[in-house]
């Protein structure tokens, strides 16, 4: 088990790079009001990553971060792509107000419970299938052309209002 290891980096405007790849970093990581780009967490044991108003951040490497449970990225306006394919423990994904974020690659096997991607620049089709734990999904005010959420046992809420490009919604085979 992991301890309560936490790292807080806030208001370090001169800190420009963060590379923790393959380091024995475990626990929570908080980053706010900084100019760091890129961020590399590859093969670390982080369980939570919070980044708020990080100027210029366009790359976050989360490859091999299978212990990551919570990812909160707010107002990281230069972030363009997010690859979560190795984040198999991810339960909470919040990427609010990331206007340049166009692409999110979801984990193929996941435990997602809550996805909050509103007010982001996401402009690709979203397909989530057989995510038994998925309860809340919010893609409001995005440019997604289609949304397909199927076979999700506990799906309770889907929000896709103000999606001008949305032409297709498929919510079949969801028991709730």
């Amino acid at each position: 088990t992991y301890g309560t290891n936490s790292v807080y980096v806030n208001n370090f405007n001169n800190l420009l790079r963060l590379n923790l790849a393959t380091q024995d970093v475990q626990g929570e990581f908080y980053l706010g009001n900084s100019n760091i780009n890129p961020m590399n967490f590859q093969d670390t044991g982080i369980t939570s990553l919070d980044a708020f108003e990080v100027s210029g951040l366009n790359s976050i490497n989360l490859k091999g971060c299978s212990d990551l449970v919570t990812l909160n990225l707010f107002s990281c306006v230069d972030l363009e792509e997010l690859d979560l394919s190795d984040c198999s423990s991810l339960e909470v994904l919040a990427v609010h107000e990331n206007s340049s974020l166009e692409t999110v690659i979801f984990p193929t096997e996941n435990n997602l419970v809550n996805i909050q991607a509103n007010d982001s620049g996401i402009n690709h089709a979203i397909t989530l299938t057989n995510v038994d734990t998925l309860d809340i999904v919010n893609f409001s005010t995005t440019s997604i052309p289609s949304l397909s959420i199927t076979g999700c046992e506990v799906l309770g809420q889907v929000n896709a209002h103000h999606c001008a490009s949305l032409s297709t919604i498929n919510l079949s085979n969801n028991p709730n």
Side-chain angles (χ1 to χ4, degrees), residues 2 8 25 32 39 53 82 94 97 100 106 113 139 145 169-170:
Y2 297 129
Y8 294 91
V25 177
M39 290 196 302
E53 298 177 359
L82 190 57
E97 299 175 19
S100 296
F106 290 97
V113 174
F139 284 100
I169 297 177
N170 178 7

Side-chain angles (χ1 to χ4, degrees), residues 10-49:
N10 196 23
N11 294 319
F12 282 88
N13 292 328
N14 294 325
L15 182 62
L16 300 178
R17 291 180 182 259
L18 180 65
N19 185 355
L20 299 174
T22 68
Q23 299 300 309
D24 189 20
V25 177
Q26 301 172 350
E28 302 173 351
F29 193 91
Y30 171 86
L31 178 67
N33 297 320
S34 300
N35 294 316
I36 296 174
N37 185 54
M39 290 196 302
N40 187 356
F41 294 96
Q42 183 172 347
D43 297 321
T44 62
I46 64 168
T47 57
S48 178
L49 173 59

Side-chain angles (χ1 to χ4, degrees), residues 42-64:
Q42 183 172 347
D43 297 321
T44 62
I46 64 168
T47 57
S48 178
L49 173 59
D50 297 319
F52 299 88
E53 298 177 359
V54 181
S55 300
L57 177 65
N58 61 24
S59 175
I60 300 175
N61 183 350
L62 296 169
K63 297 224 183 284

